[in-house]
């Protein structure tokens, strides 16, 4: 008797259902700003000062009063020298101050002249004088106090995933430590008696039907890029008792259990009954290509539950379902609100003549003419397509593509960080 086919679940609906389960993890870490790259802020960063703290020069040159320089060619005595890190005296009328980039503008000065617009004149004693060869405009080359950051401003909001620029911004307001979300603890394992780890068996001694476990390597790397602490449980044999034991052990001390393979409905696919023995599981057929089979469940433990996600075994399917479903889930566990990858419009320099009923993610890369080339073999087992490409075309269900069409392109840099 044939089982009725479940309708395919739209990808956006599947993601929304997943994110509904992704409550931010409890607990935070305190880390130095030096060590916070890639971490997610757990609280707002509020500035206790303004940046810059006072008006300062954005050029090497001379601080002057505009009222003293009404025509080019005039000469002013130099009354003081102000390097960065020191404070000058108020500027006396009819004088100029030698000033350097970043130095505070002395009281009374209302413009900076670049040294290229001036001619220093030596003197027997003192600081000499300067010939002014340009008429300044008020406030030129002056960076105003608070121009970058005002006192009391929220400089970085909780939920921000920190980048090098944001670390510099935090340091600019004096923060040497930051409160960040704790790292998600993820248990990773693969299922399948056909899997062999590289290094255990040389290629010439591989038994018939055996394959090297590539998924374990890219999944671990992707998890680490998202800031996770990863425990590698290795390859679990295709036996129900072994699968249950691995799941029970993994659920005890991890926030998420991630597997690849074993989420289909074959007799050797033990993930579904094993998870259901310990907790709950939904096995979805998602309307995306590649990557149709996907499983989400929970395994209860004392006081909470571990999330479970099962990815398909084919490498490109596993790669893309991670990027499009697991990645946003893991970011949301850390408190990130905006988890959607950014897409851009791009020109297709290829033909895709056959529409599919599923939403397709075609591996492509930019060419020298600014368009996108398509990898020739889009099979879910051809991992070369992901290594060759620099992103994917997000092609709607039922859509063909002609050369010159505008398509939606998502860079791998958006999906792998």
């Amino acid at each position: 008797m044939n089982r009725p086919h479940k309708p395919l679940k739209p990808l956006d609906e599947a993601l929304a259902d997943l994110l509904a389960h992704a409550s931010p993890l409890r607990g935070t870490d305190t880390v130095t700003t030096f060590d916070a790259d890639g971490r997610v802020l757990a609280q707002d960063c509020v500035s206790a000062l303004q940046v810059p703290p006072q008006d300062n020069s954005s050029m090497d040159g001379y601080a002057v009063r505009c009222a003293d320089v009404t025509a080019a060619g005039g000469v002013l005595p130099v009354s003081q020298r102000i390097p960065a890190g020191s404070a000058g005296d108020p500027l006396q009328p009819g004088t100029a101050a030698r000033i350097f980039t970043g130095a505070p503008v002395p009281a009374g000065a209302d413009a900076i002249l670049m040294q290229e617009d001036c001619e220093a004149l030596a003197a027997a004693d003192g600081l000499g004088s300067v010939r002014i060869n340009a008429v300044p405009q008020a406030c030129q080359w002056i960076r105003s106090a608070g121009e970058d950051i005002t006192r009391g401003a929220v400089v970085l909001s909780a939920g921000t995933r920190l980048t090098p620029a944001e670390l510099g911004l935090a340091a600019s307001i004096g923060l040497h430590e930051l409160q960040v979300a704790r790292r998600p603890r993820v248990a990773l394992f693969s299922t399948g008696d056909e899997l062999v780890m590289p290094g255990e068996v040389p290629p010439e001694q591989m038994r018939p039907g055996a394959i090297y476990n590539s998924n374990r390597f890219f999944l671990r790397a992707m998890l680490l890029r998202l800031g996770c602490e990863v425990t590698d449980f290795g390859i679990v044999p295709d036996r129900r008792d072994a699968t249950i034991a691995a799941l029970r052990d993994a659920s005890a001390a991890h926030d998420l259990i991630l597997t690849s393979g074993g989420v289909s409905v074959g007799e050797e696919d033990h993930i579904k009954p094993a998870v259901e023995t310990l907790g709950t599981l939904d096995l979805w057929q998602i309307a995306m290509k590649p990557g149709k089979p996907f499983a989400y469940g929970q395994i209860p433990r004392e006081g909470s539950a571990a999330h479970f996600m099962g990815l398909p075994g084919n490498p490109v399917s596993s790669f893309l379902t991670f990027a499009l479903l697991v990645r946003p889930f893991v970011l949301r566990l850390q408190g990130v609100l905006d988890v959607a990858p950014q897409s851009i419009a791009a020109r297709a320099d290829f033909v895709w003549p056959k529409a599919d009923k599923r939403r397709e993610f075609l591996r492509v890369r930019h060419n020298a003419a600014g368009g996108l080339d398509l990898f020739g073999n889009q099979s879910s087992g051809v991992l070369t397509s992901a290594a060759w490409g620099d992103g994917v075309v997000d092609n709607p269900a039922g859509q063909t593509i002609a050369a010159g069409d505008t398509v939606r392109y998502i860079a791998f840099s958006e999906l792998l960080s």
Side-chain angles (χ1 to χ4, degrees):
M1 178 177 177
N2 292 330
R3 298 178 180 176
H5 290 290
K6 285 186 177 182
L8 297 178
K9 193 180 188 76
L11 176 60
D12 289 342
E13 181 182 324
L15 179 57
D17 287 350
L18 277 180
L19 294 181
H21 293 287
S23 299
L25 300 172
R26 295 177 181 176
T28 61
D29 295 330
T30 301
V31 298
T32 69
T33 306
F34 271 126
D35 298 321
D37 186 34
R39 302 297 293 269
V40 178
L41 277 176
Q43 64 181 28
D44 293 345
C45 293
V46 179
S47 180
L49 74 165
Q50 57 186 11
V51 179
Q54 60 273 314
D55 293 353
N56 70 87
S57 176
S58 63
M59 292 287 175
D60 291 342
Y62 293 85
V64 298
R65 294 172 179 264
C66 289
D68 292 334
V69 186
T70 57
V75 176
L76 295 175
V78 177
S79 58
Q80 57 185 309
R81 184 177 185 274
I82 312 173
S86 65
D89 297 324
L91 185 66
Q92 298 302 312
T95 70
R98 180 72 166 114
I99 196 167
F100 297 88
T101 302
V105 177
D110 56 8
I112 305 296
L113 283 153
M114 292 190 298
Q115 60 188 19
E116 292 85 349
D117 292 331
C118 302
E119 180 185 351
L121 304 175
D125 55 4
L127 296 173
S129 57
V130 60
R131 177 173 287 113
I132 308 298
N133 296 322
V135 177
Q137 294 182 350
C139 299
Q140 73 176 30
W141 307 122
I142 293 177
R143 292 185 290 224
S144 300
E147 178 180 292
D148 188 8
I149 299 168
T150 57
R151 184 180 289 107
V154 176
V155 175
L156 296 168
S157 300
T160 298
R161 195 167 176 217
L162 295 165
T163 66
E166 283 145 349
L167 298 184
L169 192 56
S172 75
I173 62 171
L175 299 179
H176 75 288
E177 289 185 335
L178 298 170
Q179 288 292 117
V180 296
R182 73 167 175 84
R183 296 183 184 277
R185 297 185 292 263
V186 181
L188 175 65
F189 64 83
S190 306
T191 63
D193 289 340
E194 75 279 11
L195 297 176
V196 175
M197 283 300 293
E200 293 180 353
V201 180
E204 63 274 12
Q205 295 179 20
M206 289 279 279
R207 67 182 186 278
I211 58 172
Y212 286 121
N213 184 0
S214 60
N215 295 13
R216 186 166 160 190
F217 288 83
F218 64 71
L219 291 176
R220 180 178 181 274
M222 293 164 89
L223 287 166
L224 291 175
R225 287 190 176 197
L226 294 173
C228 299
E229 294 179 359
V230 182
T231 304
D232 192 341
F233 277 67
I235 300 170
V236 176
D238 274 334
R239 299 195 321 270
R240 187 167 303 181
D241 62 336
T243 305
I244 291 173
L247 290 168
R248 183 182 289 113
D249 290 346
S251 66
H254 295 87
D255 305 300
L256 170 64
I257 303 166
L258 185 66
T259 70
S260 64
V263 294
S264 297
V265 292
E267 293 180 1
E268 298 301 317
D269 294 324
H270 299 298
I271 289 292
K272 184 176 187 293
V275 175
E276 290 177 330
T277 298
L278 300 171
T280 60
L281 184 76
D282 286 324
L283 186 60
W284 297 339
Q285 297 292 303
I286 299 178
M288 63 178 287
K289 184 179 181 181
K292 184 168 68 172
F294 184 87
Y296 172 77
Q298 293 185 352
I299 299 176
R301 61 187 180 199
E302 186 176 353
S304 62
H307 301 282
F308 170 85
M309 289 187 186
L311 306 181
N314 281 327
V316 183
S317 297
S318 188
F319 180 84
L320 285 173
T321 50
F322 183 101
L324 296 167
L325 292 168
V326 181
R327 174 186 176 274
F329 186 89
V330 168
L331 290 176
R332 187 60 60 81
L333 288 180
Q334 297 175 78
V336 179
L337 295 179
D338 185 6
V339 296
Q342 298 299 307
S343 63
I344 60 172
R347 185 187 72 244
D349 286 349
F350 62 89
V351 174
W352 190 249
K354 187 177 179 181
D356 197 274
K357 65 179 180 180
R358 290 182 281 167
R359 183 174 170 183
E360 299 175 287
F361 292 89
L362 308 173
R363 278 77 72 206
V364 296
R365 76 176 178 192
H366 280 90
N367 56 40
L372 299 174
D373 292 331
L374 182 75
F375 190 78
N377 188 339
Q378 292 288 316
S379 168
S380 63
V382 180
L383 193 55
T384 307
S385 65
W388 174 89
D390 58 21
V392 292
V393 167
D394 181 357
N395 192 42
Q399 183 72 50
T400 60
I401 299 173
D405 282 353
T406 297
V407 294
R408 184 181 180 217
Y409 168 81
I410 306 174
F412 281 147
S413 60
E414 285 287 318
L415 298 172
L416 301 179
S417 62

